Amino acid sequence: MGVSPAGLGALLGAFEENFRSHGEIGASVSVWWRGSEVLSEGRGWCEKEASQPWTARTLVPVYSATKGPASAALLLALEEHGLGAETPVGEVWPAFPLPTASFGDLLSHQCGLAALDEAANIWKHEEVVAAIEAQLPTWRPGEGHGYHPRTFGALVDEPVRRLTGMPLGRFWNEKVARPLALDFWIGLPESEMGRVARLYPGKAQAGDFEKGFYREFGREGSLTSRAFRSPRGLRSVQEMNEPDAWRAGFPAMGGIGTASALAKFYQVVQGAIPGPFGAGVLGALAKRRCEGDDRVLIQPTAFSAGCQLDPLDDSGRKLRQLYGPEISSFGHPGAGGSHAFADPENGISFAYTMNQMELSVMPGRRSTRLIEALYG
C-alpha cells in the first residue's frame, strides 16, 4: 500500500472539517512517503485573538510526542559507544535502582519508576536523579508495565549525560536535528521563540472523571495521580507557554517543533532518509517489548524501546488503530492531541500538531480522523 491522491484528498477534507466543526484554532499535518513529503498543510491561528497566522512553519510544544525523538537520542548515544537496548542500565548508570534491567526495559516503561516518593523539582535535574536513585521500584521487568509520563525525562537524560557529557536536548539538537535540518527542538534557541504558537487547555465534560484513567488521575494518592505529579512543577498549560519551558529541553514533554519535522524524523528512523541512526535504533524503536494492562494509563497499551504501538487482542488483531492499520507501526502521542508515527510496512510517516488541546492522554478524534482518512 502507498499514499494515494484520494487518501491525501480525504485527509485534507478531514483537516478542514476540524476547523469548521471541531474547535481547531491552529494546526498542521504532514505526511511523508519513501523519503519525500507528499503533504504539508498548516492553517488557522497561533492564538485565539487571530493576530498571527498559523503556517506549516509554526512551532508548538508537543508534550509526550517528544518521547520518540528523545528515545532515539538515547539509543544513538548508546550505539556510538558500542552499546544498545539490551545493555544493562547499570553499565552506564551504576546507582540506577535496577542496575541489571536493560535500556529496553527502561524505555518500555517496565522498571516501575513512574512515581517518586521523594519530592523533586523537575527544573533541577540532579534532584530528580537523586530521587530516582533512592526510589524502590513499584514493579520490575517481567511484572507488567506502566507509563512513566514525567520521570521518563530524567531516565533518558541521565544516561545521555553520562555517555556524552551533555544534556540529551543538546545532544539531540547537535547530532540529529541540525544535521538533518529537522525543525524540532528539545531546548529551543532564543532565535526561534517568535514562531511558537500559544497552547490552550482542553475542557473537561460531565462524566469525564467518573471512570478509567481520569478517575484514577483525580484520585489523590493513586499511582496514576502520583505518576503525573512526579517530579513536581511544570504542570499547567500556562507554564508550557513560557519561554523558560521552551528553552529547558525536558526530554519527556518539552519538545517543540513542526508537524513536518516530526514526520520527517519518523522517515529517518525507518531508513527512508539517511541519518545518524544504525539499524539497531530502528529495531529498538519498532520491536514490541511489552503490552497489556497499563498500571498508569488504566487501559491496554504496548511499547517498544521508546515508542508506543497499538495493542493486540488474543488473535493478533489490533485493539485500536491510533497508528494506522499495520501492526508494525510505531510512534508517540502527546497530551492534548499532538501525534506522530512511522509505518515502515508502507514507507509512510505522519504527524499532526495543534494548539487547541483536547482532554485526552491518547490521540483525540481530530488526529485519528486524519489517519482514518489517509488509509481509507
Short mmCIF file of all heavy atoms in Angstrom, two decimals, residues 317-348:
data_model
loop_
_atom_site.label_atom_id
_atom_site.label_comp_id
_atom_site.label_asym_id
_atom_site.label_seq_id
_atom_site.Cartn_x
_atom_site.Cartn_y
_atom_site.Cartn_z
N ARG A 317 -5.11 -9.31 16.40
CA ARG A 317 -5.68 -8.13 15.73
C ARG A 317 -5.54 -6.90 16.63
O ARG A 317 -5.56 -7.00 17.86
CB ARG A 317 -7.15 -8.37 15.40
CG ARG A 317 -7.38 -9.41 14.32
CD ARG A 317 -8.85 -9.41 13.88
NE ARG A 317 -9.70 -9.83 14.97
CZ ARG A 317 -10.14 -11.08 15.14
NH1 ARG A 317 -9.78 -12.03 14.30
NH2 ARG A 317 -10.93 -11.38 16.16
N LYS A 318 -5.46 -5.74 15.99
CA LYS A 318 -5.31 -4.50 16.75
C LYS A 318 -6.58 -4.20 17.55
O LYS A 318 -7.70 -4.31 17.03
CB LYS A 318 -5.03 -3.33 15.81
CG LYS A 318 -3.60 -3.27 15.29
CD LYS A 318 -3.35 -1.91 14.64
CE LYS A 318 -1.87 -1.71 14.34
NZ LYS A 318 -1.58 -0.30 14.01
N LEU A 319 -6.38 -3.78 18.81
CA LEU A 319 -7.50 -3.33 19.62
C LEU A 319 -7.95 -1.93 19.21
O LEU A 319 -9.10 -1.55 19.44
CB LEU A 319 -7.11 -3.33 21.11
CG LEU A 319 -6.87 -4.69 21.75
CD1 LEU A 319 -6.38 -4.52 23.18
CD2 LEU A 319 -8.15 -5.52 21.73
N ARG A 320 -7.06 -1.14 18.67
CA ARG A 320 -7.37 0.19 18.15
C ARG A 320 -6.37 0.50 17.05
O ARG A 320 -5.39 -0.23 16.88
CB ARG A 320 -7.32 1.24 19.27
CG ARG A 320 -6.04 1.25 20.07
CD ARG A 320 -6.09 2.28 21.19
NE ARG A 320 -4.87 2.27 21.98
CZ ARG A 320 -4.77 1.79 23.23
NH1 ARG A 320 -5.83 1.25 23.82
NH2 ARG A 320 -3.63 1.82 23.89
N GLN A 321 -6.59 1.58 16.32
CA GLN A 321 -5.72 1.93 15.20
C GLN A 321 -5.27 3.38 15.30
O GLN A 321 -5.49 4.19 14.41
CB GLN A 321 -6.40 1.65 13.87
CG GLN A 321 -6.64 0.18 13.62
CD GLN A 321 -7.01 -0.14 12.18
OE1 GLN A 321 -6.93 0.70 11.28
NE2 GLN A 321 -7.41 -1.38 11.95
N LEU A 322 -4.60 3.71 16.40
CA LEU A 322 -4.04 5.06 16.55
C LEU A 322 -2.83 5.25 15.64
O LEU A 322 -2.44 6.38 15.35
CB LEU A 322 -3.63 5.29 18.00
CG LEU A 322 -4.73 5.16 19.06
CD1 LEU A 322 -4.17 5.48 20.44
CD2 LEU A 322 -5.91 6.07 18.72
N TYR A 323 -2.23 4.15 15.19
CA TYR A 323 -1.05 4.20 14.34
C TYR A 323 -1.32 3.60 12.96
O TYR A 323 -0.41 3.09 12.32
CB TYR A 323 0.11 3.47 15.05
CG TYR A 323 0.45 4.13 16.36
CD1 TYR A 323 -0.09 3.66 17.55
CD2 TYR A 323 1.25 5.27 16.41
CE1 TYR A 323 0.17 4.29 18.75
CE2 TYR A 323 1.52 5.90 17.61
CZ TYR A 323 0.98 5.41 18.77
OH TYR A 323 1.23 6.05 19.96
N GLY A 324 -2.57 3.66 12.52
CA GLY A 324 -2.92 3.11 11.23
C GLY A 324 -3.15 1.61 11.31
O GLY A 324 -3.10 1.01 12.38
N PRO A 325 -3.38 0.96 10.17
CA PRO A 325 -3.78 -0.44 10.18
C PRO A 325 -2.66 -1.45 10.37
O PRO A 325 -2.92 -2.60 10.72
CB PRO A 325 -4.43 -0.62 8.80
CG PRO A 325 -3.74 0.39 7.94
CD PRO A 325 -3.48 1.57 8.83
N GLU A 326 -1.41 -1.06 10.11
CA GLU A 326 -0.32 -2.03 10.15
C GLU A 326 0.13 -2.32 11.58
O GLU A 326 0.33 -1.41 12.39
CB GLU A 326 0.88 -1.52 9.33
CG GLU A 326 0.57 -1.23 7.88
CD GLU A 326 0.17 -2.49 7.10
OE1 GLU A 326 0.43 -3.60 7.59
OE2 GLU A 326 -0.39 -2.34 5.99
N ILE A 327 0.35 -3.57 11.88
CA ILE A 327 0.77 -3.98 13.22
C ILE A 327 2.16 -3.43 13.55
O ILE A 327 2.47 -3.14 14.70
CB ILE A 327 0.75 -5.52 13.33
CG1 ILE A 327 -0.70 -6.02 13.35
CG2 ILE A 327 1.50 -6.01 14.56
CD1 ILE A 327 -0.85 -7.52 13.31
N SER A 328 3.01 -3.25 12.54
CA SER A 328 4.39 -2.83 12.76
C SER A 328 4.56 -1.34 13.00
O SER A 328 5.66 -0.88 13.32
CB SER A 328 5.25 -3.24 11.56
OG SER A 328 4.76 -2.63 10.36
N SER A 329 3.51 -0.54 12.85
CA SER A 329 3.64 0.91 13.00
C SER A 329 3.91 1.31 14.45
O SER A 329 3.39 0.67 15.38
CB SER A 329 2.37 1.61 12.50
OG SER A 329 2.19 1.39 11.12
N PHE A 330 4.68 2.36 14.64
CA PHE A 330 5.05 2.82 15.98
C PHE A 330 5.23 4.32 15.98
O PHE A 330 5.50 4.95 14.94
CB PHE A 330 6.35 2.15 16.43
CG PHE A 330 7.55 2.48 15.57
CD1 PHE A 330 8.37 3.55 15.86
CD2 PHE A 330 7.84 1.71 14.44
CE1 PHE A 330 9.47 3.86 15.05
CE2 PHE A 330 8.92 2.02 13.62
CZ PHE A 330 9.74 3.10 13.94
N GLY A 331 5.07 4.94 17.14
CA GLY A 331 5.25 6.38 17.27
C GLY A 331 4.97 6.81 18.69
O GLY A 331 5.14 6.03 19.62
N HIS A 332 4.52 8.05 18.86
CA HIS A 332 4.18 8.51 20.21
C HIS A 332 3.26 9.71 20.14
O HIS A 332 3.51 10.65 19.39
CB HIS A 332 5.43 8.87 21.01
CG HIS A 332 5.28 8.54 22.46
ND1 HIS A 332 4.43 9.23 23.30
CD2 HIS A 332 5.86 7.58 23.23
CE1 HIS A 332 4.50 8.71 24.51
NE2 HIS A 332 5.34 7.70 24.50
N PRO A 333 2.18 9.69 20.95
CA PRO A 333 1.30 10.85 21.04
C PRO A 333 1.79 11.82 22.10
O PRO A 333 2.67 11.50 22.91
CB PRO A 333 -0.03 10.23 21.45
CG PRO A 333 0.37 9.09 22.33
CD PRO A 333 1.67 8.56 21.75
N GLY A 334 1.20 12.99 22.12
CA GLY A 334 1.43 13.97 23.17
C GLY A 334 0.13 14.37 23.81
O GLY A 334 -0.92 14.40 23.15
N ALA A 335 0.17 14.68 25.10
CA ALA A 335 -1.04 15.07 25.81
C ALA A 335 -1.75 16.20 25.07
O ALA A 335 -1.12 17.16 24.61
CB ALA A 335 -0.70 15.52 27.24
N GLY A 336 -3.05 16.06 24.93
CA GLY A 336 -3.84 17.10 24.29
C GLY A 336 -4.09 16.90 22.83
O GLY A 336 -4.96 17.56 22.26
N GLY A 337 -3.31 16.02 22.16
CA GLY A 337 -3.65 15.74 20.78
C GLY A 337 -2.54 15.59 19.77
O GLY A 337 -2.73 14.97 18.73
N SER A 338 -1.35 16.17 19.99
CA SER A 338 -0.29 16.02 19.00
C SER A 338 0.06 14.54 18.85
O SER A 338 -0.03 13.76 19.80
CB SER A 338 0.94 16.83 19.40
OG SER A 338 1.36 16.51 20.71
N HIS A 339 0.51 14.17 17.64
CA HIS A 339 0.64 12.74 17.35
C HIS A 339 1.59 12.57 16.18
O HIS A 339 1.59 13.38 15.23
CB HIS A 339 -0.74 12.17 17.01
CG HIS A 339 -0.79 10.68 16.90
ND1 HIS A 339 0.00 9.84 17.64
CD2 HIS A 339 -1.58 9.86 16.12
CE1 HIS A 339 -0.29 8.59 17.35
NE2 HIS A 339 -1.24 8.57 16.42
N ALA A 340 2.40 11.50 16.20
CA ALA A 340 3.30 11.22 15.09
C ALA A 340 3.67 9.74 15.10
O ALA A 340 3.78 9.14 16.17
CB ALA A 340 4.56 12.07 15.18
N PHE A 341 3.88 9.17 13.91
CA PHE A 341 4.25 7.76 13.86
C PHE A 341 4.91 7.40 12.55
O PHE A 341 4.84 8.13 11.55
CB PHE A 341 3.03 6.86 14.11
CG PHE A 341 1.98 6.87 13.04
CD1 PHE A 341 2.05 6.03 11.94
CD2 PHE A 341 0.88 7.72 13.13
CE1 PHE A 341 1.07 6.02 10.96
CE2 PHE A 341 -0.12 7.71 12.17
CZ PHE A 341 -0.02 6.86 11.07
N ALA A 342 5.53 6.22 12.56
CA ALA A 342 6.14 5.60 11.38
C ALA A 342 5.35 4.36 11.02
O ALA A 342 4.94 3.59 11.89
CB ALA A 342 7.59 5.23 11.66
N ASP A 343 5.18 4.15 9.72
CA ASP A 343 4.57 2.93 9.17
C ASP A 343 5.59 2.32 8.20
O ASP A 343 5.54 2.55 7.00
CB ASP A 343 3.27 3.29 8.45
CG ASP A 343 2.66 2.12 7.67
OD1 ASP A 343 3.22 1.02 7.71
OD2 ASP A 343 1.62 2.34 7.01
N PRO A 344 6.57 1.57 8.74
CA PRO A 344 7.63 1.03 7.87
C PRO A 344 7.11 0.09 6.80
O PRO A 344 7.72 -0.02 5.73
CB PRO A 344 8.55 0.29 8.86
CG PRO A 344 8.22 0.84 10.20
CD PRO A 344 6.78 1.21 10.15
N GLU A 345 6.01 -0.59 7.06
CA GLU A 345 5.45 -1.53 6.09
C GLU A 345 5.14 -0.83 4.77
O GLU A 345 5.35 -1.39 3.69
CB GLU A 345 4.18 -2.16 6.66
CG GLU A 345 3.55 -3.23 5.80
CD GLU A 345 4.26 -4.56 5.90
OE1 GLU A 345 5.04 -4.76 6.86
OE2 GLU A 345 4.05 -5.39 5.00
N ASN A 346 4.67 0.40 4.85
CA ASN A 346 4.26 1.14 3.66
C ASN A 346 5.15 2.35 3.35
O ASN A 346 4.88 3.08 2.41
CB ASN A 346 2.82 1.61 3.81
CG ASN A 346 1.84 0.45 3.89
OD1 ASN A 346 1.77 -0.37 2.98
ND2 ASN A 346 1.10 0.35 4.99
N GLY A 347 6.19 2.55 4.16
CA GLY A 347 7.09 3.68 3.93
C GLY A 347 6.49 5.02 4.28
O GLY A 347 6.97 6.07 3.83
N ILE A 348 5.44 5.03 5.12
CA ILE A 348 4.70 6.25 5.45
C ILE A 348 5.11 6.76 6.83
O ILE A 348 5.42 5.98 7.73
CB ILE A 348 3.18 5.98 5.44
CG1 ILE A 348 2.71 5.62 4.03
CG2 ILE A 348 2.39 7.16 5.98
CD1 ILE A 348 1.28 5.09 3.98
#
